[in-house]
Amino acid sequence: MSNQAEPAPALMPAQKAVTVYEELRSRILAGTLECGDWLRAEALADELGVSRTPIREAFRQLHADGLIEIVPNRGARVARISDEDLESTYELHALLEGYAARRAAEQDLADTERLAELCAEMERAQTSGAADRFDELTRLNLEFHGDIHRASGNVVLPGMIAGFAQRSLVRHTFATYTPAEIERALADHRVMTEAIAAGDSALAEAVMRSHVLSARATLRRQLSQLDTDENAS
């Protein structure tokens, strides 16, 4: 009997499309692909080692998800957001996140030691100077918020928030924050952690809502700069 490993089976076309979709979705949500970035099918096909057919299929699904937009005669790019959508998305996101923080403080289900550890890890990442520090900040931030969502004790809430978070996070990443904005965001995390640990539900909710709406202000600035850059080109 041969001990030689069997070669991995080739992916079927539908599987390739799913793999491409998941990779691009991950990049968009992580902020590696930012709001307004163009997605070049030919370059992506070369990079991912697939034909253009799975790329087009992935584009269709990403467009259906609202993560990219198809611009006639130009191609696909990471989705922009209208002023109206910006307001409504963040208002609802802030309400849900605030509710999650309030419930987490009331239910006493949160692992506040872990939340404090995540705060410290984000602070270290911020000052590390590493090339991937913004990716690390984004990852840790998602874990921090996810822990609060689960600590709310409401099994429906994490899924509800995920939809709004996807629409919000796709359009900004910590790479777009100013140093002062990052410091404020990380300080918010510390206050939220302390409020949840103390069972101060009103403070936890208020700080969380302010935290989410501050991200909206950052995005407004980013979109304004994108418009300026496009008008100048």
Side-chain angles (χ1 to χ4, degrees), residues 3-162:
N3 291 325
Q4 185 173 357
E6 292 290 334
L11 292 176
M12 299 295 288
Q15 294 174 307
K16 289 182 180 179
V18 170
T19 300
V20 171
Y21 163 77
E22 290 176 346
E23 173 63 22
L24 295 180
R25 181 179 182 275
S26 176
R27 293 185 190 185
I28 291 169
L29 295 182
T32 307
L33 290 170
E34 297 182 12
C35 173
D37 281 354
W38 289 98
L39 305 176
R40 305 301 180 189
E42 185 173 351
L44 286 169
D46 289 342
E47 178 190 349
L48 300 175
V50 297
S51 70
R52 295 183 64 174
T53 298
I55 300 292
R56 288 193 294 267
E57 290 296 327
F59 280 3
R60 274 194 280 271
Q61 185 58 54
L62 291 166
H63 182 251
D65 291 346
L67 297 181
I68 70 171
E69 56 188 4
I70 307 299
V71 182
N73 302 318
R74 296 198 64 184
R77 67 181 177 186
V78 179
R80 304 289 295 272
I81 187 170
S82 69
D83 290 341
E84 182 178 347
D85 283 348
L86 176 68
E87 297 302 317
S88 61
T89 296
Y90 273 87
E91 287 292 341
L92 290 171
H93 190 184
L95 285 171
L96 289 173
E97 289 273 9
Y99 174 76
R102 174 165 64 83
R103 291 279 296 176
E106 293 171 345
Q107 296 297 308
D108 195 29
L109 297 174
D111 183 347
T112 52
E113 289 187 2
R114 178 55 184 159
L115 291 177
E117 288 173 6
L118 288 168
C119 288
E121 288 178 34
M122 283 185 272
E123 290 160 1
R124 286 194 292 271
Q126 179 207 4
T127 58
S128 69
D132 64 347
R133 65 188 181 281
F134 299 121
D135 291 342
E136 182 68 359
L137 278 170
T138 299
R139 183 188 68 78
L140 293 167
N141 180 66
L142 287 171
E143 183 176 347
F144 179 88
H145 283 264
D147 283 357
I148 292 174
H149 303 162
R150 288 184 289 275
S152 71
N154 185 321
V155 296
V156 177
L157 192 60
M160 293 180 65
I161 291 178

Side-chain angles (χ1 to χ4, degrees), residues 150-203:
R150 288 184 289 275
S152 71
N154 185 321
V155 296
V156 177
L157 192 60
M160 293 180 65
I161 291 178
F164 288 101
Q166 175 171 292
R167 288 182 58 81
S168 301
L169 289 172
V170 66
R171 295 170 175 89
H172 80 278
T173 173
F174 278 103
T176 69
Y177 278 51
T178 65
E181 288 169 338
I182 293 178
E183 286 185 16
R184 173 176 173 171
L186 299 188
D188 286 346
H189 288 169
R190 283 288 187 185
V191 176
M192 279 186 272
T193 298
E194 292 166 4
I196 291 170
D200 190 337
S201 58
L203 179 59

